[in-house]
């Protein structure tokens, strides 16, 4: 599975961005996927995930502001980010073909290359 993430950029606080993750190489690789971010000086953390059955998970800090979705016809996953805050700054990575169990997404070995999101105050 190859994943290509895009859509990051520089935005002012309160602004919006939509990240995309194009998957190739295996049918159904977006059955379960997640978006992670690595903020400066911090560990990579799961931000949002979606199961094959459309169950979603969001980190508390982004609930109500971020929306994860997929377009299976385009083999693309999305992370819609609104009301962005400076603390949302980081490199965002998509992960796909992971395992969803007990409401928890367990990432696979398949990662996109990361896309930088910078939110200025």
């Amino acid at each position: 599975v190859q994943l290509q993430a895009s859509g990051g950029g520089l935005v002012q606080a309160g602004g919006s961005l939509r990240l995309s993750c194009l998957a190739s190489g295996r049918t159904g690789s977006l059955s379960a996927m997640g978006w992670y971010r690595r903020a400066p000086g911090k560990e990579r953390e799961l931000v949002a995930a979606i199961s094959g059955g459309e169950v979603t998970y969001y980190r508390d800090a982004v609930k109500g502001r971020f929306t994860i979705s997929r377009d299976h016809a385009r083999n693309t996953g999305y992370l819609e980010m609104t009301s962005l805050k400076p603390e949302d700054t980081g490199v965002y990575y998509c992960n796909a073909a992971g395992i969803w169990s007990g409401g928890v997404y367990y990432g696979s070995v398949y990662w996109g290359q990361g896309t930088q999101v910078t939110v200025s105050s």
Side-chain angles (χ1 to χ4, degrees):
V1 177
Q2 292 81 47
L3 303 174
Q4 183 175 350
S6 61
L10 172 64
V11 64
Q12 288 188 329
S16 301
L17 284 173
R18 187 176 78 159
L19 306 184
S20 299
C21 179
L22 175 64
S24 61
R26 192 174 91 184
T27 302
S29 54
L30 292 179
S31 57
M33 68 167 298
W35 285 93
Y36 293 73
R37 72 182 173 201
R38 187 192 304 274
K42 295 187 177 180
E43 298 287 322
R44 185 159 56 187
E45 61 186 15
L46 181 64
V47 174
I50 186 167
S51 75
E54 303 295 326
V55 176
T56 55
Y57 159 85
Y58 295 98
R59 191 168 197 83
D60 284 347
V62 307
K63 283 181 180 177
R65 300 188 298 119
F66 289 14
T67 303
I68 188 170
S69 63
R70 292 166 304 194
D71 183 338
H72 290 291
R74 297 177 184 271
N75 235 21
T76 302
Y78 302 99
L79 184 67
E80 190 81 36
M81 305 186 295
T82 63
S83 301
L84 283 162
K85 304 176 180 180
E87 50 264 44
D88 294 319
T89 293
V91 180
Y92 284 70
Y93 301 87
C94 58
N95 180 282
I99 295 173
W100 187 279
S101 177
V104 178
Y105 179 74
Y106 297 92
S108 72
V109 297
Y110 305 115
W111 294 92
Q113 80 281 14
T115 184
Q116 175 72 45
V117 172
T118 303
V119 185
S120 63
S121 56

